[in-house]
Amino acid sequence: MQQFEVKIRYVVVNTTNMKQKKAIIDTYETLYGVDIVVANRNTTLKDLQKLYVYADGAVLDDYIIEAMATSAIVKRIKDNKTCVLIKDNKDSSTKGVDKKVDRINTIAHEALHAVFYIYENYMDQKLCGCSSEPACYLIGYIAECVYKTLTKK
């Protein structure tokens, strides 16, 4: 059974600078009544503020763009639908870090935050009695290890 499918795609193009890459915001439906929204690193805070607010109704702020990637619970403005927003922001600035490997780690980390939210709020289940942050770091590390092995020649 397929759990996710693309529902909506927003592409924002800056017409003043055609060299700038496209901002892409994809929305994926889940079986659980909450959508997953993924925004690429070219998507600005202003782009997102036009479409989403935090779940409590507050305007999206700099938290969304501060880290390498972030996840947040948001509401789509046009229909008040709850979504988990995963925003890719930048590569690691740590010297010597393989950026592809680090990106896999970050994607897995933010995806697990989304899983915790969906389990706890839409499936009425707890994955563990602890904070999700350590589990998210661990899943990122595991994904990184698997990627390193699978990409060896």
Side-chain angles (χ1 to χ4, degrees):
M1 179 186 312
Q2 186 177 359
Q3 288 195 4
F4 300 98
E5 65 180 61
V6 176
K7 181 180 177 186
I8 303 168
R9 173 171 265 196
Y10 294 99
V11 178
V12 181
V13 180
N14 182 344
T15 55
T16 59
N17 181 1
M18 293 310 284
K19 290 183 181 180
Q20 183 178 12
K21 294 184 179 177
K22 289 183 201 176
I24 297 174
I25 304 167
D26 283 339
T27 302
Y28 300 86
E29 286 185 322
T30 71
L31 301 174
Y32 308 108
V34 60
D35 289 348
I36 305 295
V37 176
V38 181
N40 73 352
R41 62 185 55 187
N42 301 315
T43 304
T44 66
L45 179 59
K46 285 185 179 185
D47 294 335
L48 292 169
Q49 287 172 332
K50 292 175 189 172
L51 301 169
Y52 303 96
V53 294
Y54 285 118
D56 65 1
V59 175
L60 297 183
D61 58 14
D62 287 344
Y63 162 79
I64 297 294
I65 57 170
E66 287 176 347
M68 289 185 337
T70 54
S71 54
I73 311 311
V74 299
K75 296 259 186 192
R76 193 167 40 233
I77 293 171
K78 75 175 184 177
D79 61 5
N80 209 36
K81 174 95 185 226
T82 300
C83 306
V84 179
L85 169 65
I86 298 175
K87 171 71 172 82
D88 181 34
N89 291 312
K90 57 191 169 194
D91 288 327
S92 172
S93 59
T94 306
K95 290 185 178 182
V97 170
D98 181 331
K99 292 188 186 321
K100 288 181 183 177
V101 170
D102 195 53
R103 194 161 191 178
I104 294 296
N105 180 315
T106 302
I107 290 166
H109 177 105
E110 297 305 331
L112 190 56
H113 278 301
V115 168
F116 270 96
Y117 176 77
I118 291 168
Y119 261 72
E120 293 174 1
N121 293 282
Y122 288 85
M123 298 174 69
D124 199 27
Q125 304 214 4
K126 298 274 184 200
L127 288 176
C128 71
C130 61
S131 165
S132 66
E133 199 63 23
C136 293
Y137 279 109
L138 179 58
I139 194 71
Y141 175 73
I142 293 167
E144 188 176 309
C145 293
V146 171
Y147 179 82
K148 284 178 181 178
T149 298
L150 296 180
T151 58
K152 283 184 180 176
K153 301 222 188 241

